[in-house]
Amino acid sequence: MVGLINAEAPESIDDYKNVMVFLESRDGKIKRPGLEMISVGSRMAHKVNEILIGVVFGDNVGQLLKEAGEYGCDKVIGYESPDLKDFRTIPYATLLSDLISEFKPNILLIPATRNGRDLASRIAVRSRTGVTADCTELDVDPDGRILQARRPTYGESTLAEILCRKHRPQMATARPGIFEVPERKSDVRYETDLRKPKIKKEYLKKEVVGFKPKTTVDLTSAKYIVSGGLGLGKAKGFDLIKELADEIEAYVGASRPTVDLGWITRDHQVGQTGQSVRPQLYMACGISGKAQHLMGMKLSQNIVSINIDPDAEINGISDYIIIGDLYEVIPKIIEEIRKRKNSVSKDSKPKKDENEVKEGEVKT
Amino acid sequence: MIEMALEIIVMIKQVPDSSEVVIDPVTFTLNRGAARNVINPADENAVEQALRIKDKNPDTHITVITMGPPFAETALLDSMARGVDRAILVTDRAFAGADTYPTGLTLAATITKMGKFDIIYAGEESTDSSTGHVGPGVAEFLGNEQASYTSNSWVEDGFVFAERQLEDGVETVKMEPPCLITVLTNANIPREATLRMKIDSIKKGIETWTLADIGLKPEWVGLKGSPTIVKSMRTINEKKREGKKFGVDEMDKFVDELISKGILNLGDE
Ligand SMILES: Cc1cc2nc3c(=O)[nH]c(=O)nc-3n(C[C@H](O)[C@H](O)[C@H](O)COP(=O)(O)OP(=O)(O)OC[C@H]3O[C@@H](n4cnc5c(N)ncnc54)[C@H](O)[C@@H]3O)c2cc1C
Ligand SMILES: Nc1ncnc2c1ncn2[C@@H]1O[C@H](COP(=O)(O)O)[C@@H](O)[C@H]1O
């Protein structure tokens, strides 16, 4: 809604300070990609002695304010209205760009989720600035507080560093699953600013008339994935995959033929015609590693192959190779993990237990 | 269903075939000479989506537009051979080096000059710049509603409906025209052009517009109008994988290795 206007740079860019992050949420919870913005955003803000300002929108933002603060925002601004329940481009873009005019952030980060990118494109035009999409590395140069936004290009073969020297805020969207989720602390100080805006009718013309949640969580932001292929030999083989996955809190992946055979639903498929994943750990069990499968998982940080065939293609891109029958190997891995978990809970008392005790006390 | 005569614009871009791209190590620009040029894959799906609306509403009129070098006309002709009615190439030396801001501005100015429309279609993103910013950017310049990342869209009772594929579910939105919609690569299977239509499209020809036709200042477009610059580029070395072997009887060592290297943390979150 700017009209045909060129990207005029602001007169005084020194007025722009601090890092602002937009924290996407659903059903009163900040989504993981938003939490990831907090870790990278606060690192940059604190590096140049600035603060991190989190922004949350929703029909009820009480919990969101608390979450954002406890995960590490120095200040959290919440916009609360029934009209903000669903993500809608125009009201969201309008309120966020109003905040930009008010707070003049030097850097604005938005998760590179679909809604995040939808929003970022419009904010950039409205604020007459540049935006670097889908960054995997973000840093700030203390000299001039210039955002160094790096992103893969040309089919992930090169990493480009993109700068926006004269325009503010310097905007980037950050790829989900790259930056870590910060630790949540309940004993931190943060400032909150709850606002209840009246949203003009004309901004609410687009209606969300339906939403069908996906039955399984998306694999793209998974930390661990245990994947099964035709080597499982039968549909029930996925029970073993799930058992291992549950043990390490991993998601279940699959090769395409297992999906085509109906052993598992399509939303688990990894590869060219499935999802592209980059977990910290990808365990390929009975998967040969054909090009179409590799395309969707070769960027995983660590790859384990469990295969009876020493010459399986997947071994060529694996960090760890276990040659053997998965029906023999996986139960052993599960057993070893259970052993270690038991000894952990005996030796050092993990935080989880303390929480359970507290809950018990409240009940009685 | 009420049939409607709709005015649809599809924004398409010609891109180097991604399997053949070469990057100039000095200027960090694409060496387009080396690669074959094709229509950006998602834009083919956008054209197909527009054609499907026309299949249902035959009085619909579809125009494809592109901002690009003169040889981008092949992408336009190809779209016409599939059933698009009109094609405009917006080309000018001044447009070279544009990032997403001036690209969106140039396309929005072109659309403003064209006049009234009901729906603008764009691809979800282009394979050479892969930002997905240009489509929504155009909607912002024009002040229109938008629905991005859609797998299907249709017109009913004068409203435009679209299904957006989000990470956690599928959202259906309802908008009033005029609006902009971006289309996913897996939304549909684009139809083939027929030889007859190929001949017809060459006969019909395309229109060529320049900077002067769309009324923008030279310093607003191309490299000069771009807020961002590419500072440097380095190749990403694919991670070297050691391929460390563990025997079936060494699963204790294997699990220890994963834990000691911090690859697997038990009992977090
Ligand atoms: C256009 C196109 C798109 C495609 N898209 C995808 C895609 O998105 N994703 C995808 O995965 N595929 C895709 N494919 C299919 C792909 O080419 C391969 O056919 C597929 O990935 C092979 O699956 P697989 O590894 O499970 O099966 P196989 O190739 O049959 O491999 C099975 C493996 O299991 C091993 N094995 C057998 N028994 C055991 C055992 N007891 N213990 C341990 N190991 C055992 C075998 O040694 C073998 O390596 C696509 C194909 C085409 C043409
Ligand atoms: N030069 C251009 N001419 C016409 N359409 C374009 C151009 N650049 C981008 N687009 C459209 O915008 C979409 C997103 O492109 P991008 O923002 O580059 O990822 C593309 O799929 C096209 O529909």
Side-chain angles (χ1 to χ4, degrees):
Chain A
M1 300 201 182
V2 291
L4 299 178
I5 281 180
N6 72 320
E8 294 161 55
E11 274 169 17
S12 169
I13 59 177
D14 292 336
D15 293 349
Y16 287 76
K17 282 197 175 62
N18 303 321
V19 178
M20 185 177 272
V21 289
F22 171 74
L23 305 169
E24 195 184 349
S25 61
R26 187 178 299 281
D27 300 332
K29 267 188 80 89
I30 298 174
K31 292 201 219 170
R32 188 185 163 114
L35 299 177
E36 293 165 2
M37 298 304 92
I38 299 181
S39 66
V40 61
S42 62
R43 190 151 60 234
M44 290 197 290
H46 299 161
K47 184 172 173 182
V48 294
N49 297 317
E50 292 183 345
I51 62 161
L52 179 70
I53 306 171
V55 179
V56 292
F57 288 178
D59 56 346
N60 189 343
V61 299
Q63 278 306 314
L64 296 174
L65 291 171
K66 185 165 186 275
E67 243 191 306
E70 294 187 352
Y71 274 106
C73 291
D74 302 301
K75 179 184 174 87
V76 195
I77 302 164
Y79 271 117
E80 186 169 271
S81 155
D83 295 329
L84 296 173
K85 181 174 186 304
D86 297 308
F87 170 85
R88 280 192 271 186
T89 313
I90 306 247
Y92 272 51
T94 305
L95 291 174
L96 187 54
S97 59
D98 287 351
L99 281 182
I100 292 169
S101 313
E102 184 182 338
F103 287 92
K104 295 191 170 20
N106 181 43
I107 292 172
L108 174 65
L109 299 183
I110 297 179
T113 55
R114 290 189 164 171
N115 283 341
R117 292 171 86 160
D118 181 286
L119 179 66
S121 317
R122 294 196 68 134
I123 297 288
V125 169
R126 207 173 283 203
S127 301
R128 301 178 203 175
T129 189
V131 52
T132 305
D134 206 27
C135 298
T136 55
E137 290 183 13
L138 290 164
D139 201 357
V140 62
D141 180 359
D143 186 23
R145 294 175 301 132
I146 299 293
L147 175 69
Q148 299 162 320
R150 303 189 195 103
R151 60 173 308 224
T153 47
Y154 308 128
E156 311 274 328
S157 62
T158 45
L159 194 70
E161 179 169 315
I162 296 174
L163 306 181
C164 173
R165 285 208 174 94
K166 299 198 180 102
H167 297 75
R168 294 295 180 272
Q170 306 170 80
M171 284 181 65
T173 64
R175 185 180 280 187
I178 299 288
F179 303 99
E180 74 276 11
V181 173
E183 200 187 324
R184 183 170 183 166
K185 296 182 185 136
S186 51
D187 58 343
V188 286
R189 271 176 203 240
Y190 54 91
E191 195 186 321
T192 57
D193 179 350
L194 173 63
R195 301 174 175 202
K196 302 201 172 177
K198 274 225 169 57
I199 294 161
K200 286 190 192 157
K201 268 243 158 60
E202 56 178 293
Y203 295 160
L204 299 168
K205 281 190 186 154
K206 178 166 96 176
E207 285 173 63
V208 175
V209 293
F211 181 73
K212 253 194 259 143
K214 279 199 184 134
T215 42
T216 44
V217 197
D218 80 303
L219 300 174
T220 55
S221 57
K223 189 170 175 192
Y224 309 131
I225 295 176
V226 182
S227 257
L230 275 186
L232 292 172
K234 51 183 189 274
K236 272 201 83 64
F238 271 105
D239 291 350
L240 186 60
I241 298 288
K242 280 181 195 134
E243 196 181 336
L244 173 56
D246 285 345
E247 207 57 56
I248 60 171
E249 290 174 53
Y251 290 107
V252 172
S255 71
R256 175 160 151 180
T258 65
V259 171
D260 290 344
L261 286 167
W263 294 357
I264 191 158
T265 51
R266 187 154 305 276
D267 42 2
H268 290 277
Q269 186 185 318
V270 172
Q272 183 189 349
T273 42
Q275 301 189 50
S276 287
V277 303
R278 328 175 183 75
Q280 182 171 311
L281 174 62
Y282 188 89
M283 299 184 74
C285 311
I287 293 177
S288 62
K290 294 282 179 298
Q292 293 90 351
H293 188 81
L294 299 189
M295 208 173 272
M297 48 65 73
K298 67 175 181 201
L299 296 175
S300 304
Q301 289 168 48
N302 296 283
I303 298 171
V304 175
S305 159
I306 302 173
N307 202 305
I308 38 168
D309 177 7
D311 299 322
E313 289 103 313
I314 187 94
N315 295 347
I317 63 149
S318 294
D319 300 274
Y320 298 103
I321 301 167
I322 301 159
I323 311 291
D325 183 344
L326 64 91
Y327 286 102
E328 194 184 333
V329 173
I330 297 179
K332 284 192 179 167
I333 298 178
I334 294 173
E335 189 193 316
E336 292 299 332
I337 288 169
R338 287 197 181 138
K339 266 194 222 159
R340 278 161 189 74
K341 275 194 186 163
N342 285 338
S343 66
V344 165
S345 56
K346 263 181 235 143
D347 300 352
S348 61
K349 226 171 158 20
K351 277 181 233 146
K352 253 190 194 155
D353 280 7
E354 286 166 19
N355 286 341
E356 274 162 23
V357 173
K358 262 186 210 149
E359 269 172 29
E361 281 169 354
V362 175
K363 268 181 214 143
T364 50
Chain B
M1 199 176 110
I2 312 157
E3 286 187 2
M4 290 177 46
L6 296 159
E7 191 64 43
I8 296 181
I9 297 168
V10 191
M11 309 200 293
I12 67 170
K13 183 182 189 185
Q14 200 170 47
V15 294
D17 189 339
S18 54
S19 54
E20 299 175 10
V21 165
V22 179
I23 303 146
D24 186 313
V26 180
T27 59
F28 307 125
T29 52
L30 285 179
N31 183 353
R32 287 165 185 277
R36 241 173 351 126
N37 290 296
V38 294
I39 302 185
N40 178 46
D43 302 354
E44 286 195 72
N45 300 96
V47 169
E48 176 62 28
Q49 178 63 69
L51 290 170
R52 286 185 183 188
I53 298 219
K54 188 176 163 99
D55 292 341
K56 290 218 179 100
N57 306 273
D59 291 335
T60 294
H61 182 261
I62 306 175
T63 307
V64 279
I65 63 172
T66 191
M67 176 195 94
F71 61 77
E73 73 167 24
T74 47
L76 297 173
L77 286 172
D78 182 272
S79 305
M80 283 216 282
R82 297 176 202 220
V84 163
D85 302 287
R86 181 187 182 199
I88 303 172
L89 168 69
V90 200
T91 188
D92 203 298
R93 274 175 183 279
F95 299 148
D99 71 5
T100 54
Y101 192 106
T103 303
L105 177 62
T106 304
L107 292 166
T110 305
I111 291 165
T112 303
K113 168 91 188 293
M114 287 170 65
K116 267 182 80 109
F117 66 90
D118 297 293
I119 306 174
I120 303 172
Y121 279 108
E124 58 168 309
E125 63 178 50
S126 61
T127 51
D128 59 347
S129 61
S130 54
T131 70
H133 289 156
V134 170
V138 167
E140 176 67 19
F141 282 117
L142 298 173
N144 296 140
E145 283 289 357
Q146 73 188 41
S148 55
Y149 302 103
T150 68
S151 52
N152 191 17
S153 48
W154 64 96
V155 179
E156 209 175 297
D157 302 332
F159 289 100
V160 179
F161 291 83
E163 267 173 16
R164 302 184 62 221
Q165 299 288 334
L166 302 176
E167 290 83 358
D168 55 355
V170 185
E171 178 185 88
T172 308
V173 296
K174 177 183 173 190
M175 302 177 286
E176 275 172 42
C179 58
L180 179 136
I181 294 174
T182 79
V183 180
L184 291 165
T185 47
N186 60 7
N188 53 45
I189 296 167
R191 68 193 65 185
E192 299 284 336
T194 62
L195 183 63
R196 227 218 110 73
M197 289 179 81
K198 275 188 189 161
I199 296 166
D200 284 355
S201 70
I202 294 170
K203 272 196 215 143
K204 223 192 235 172
I206 60 160
E207 292 163 50
T208 302
W209 293 9
T210 64
L211 180 64
D213 294 312
I214 58 171
L216 295 177
K217 295 184 183 151
E219 64 271 24
W220 291 15
V221 297
L223 190 62
K224 278 189 196 148
S226 299
T228 63
I229 56 146
V230 178
K231 189 190 163 221
S232 64
M233 245 193 238
R234 63 175 151 93
T235 50
I236 302 173
N237 294 324
E238 275 196 20
K239 193 187 159 192
K240 285 222 168 44
R241 310 267 183 188
E242 196 188 343
K244 194 164 175 182
K245 291 206 171 70
F246 284 92
V248 177
D249 297 324
E250 297 178 308
M251 287 307 102
D252 51 340
K253 280 192 208 146
F254 168 66
V255 172
D256 281 340
E257 169 106 5
L258 291 187
I259 293 171
S260 67
K261 288 249 166 86
I263 297 167
L264 180 66
N265 323 319
L266 296 179
D268 60 1
E269 282 162 78

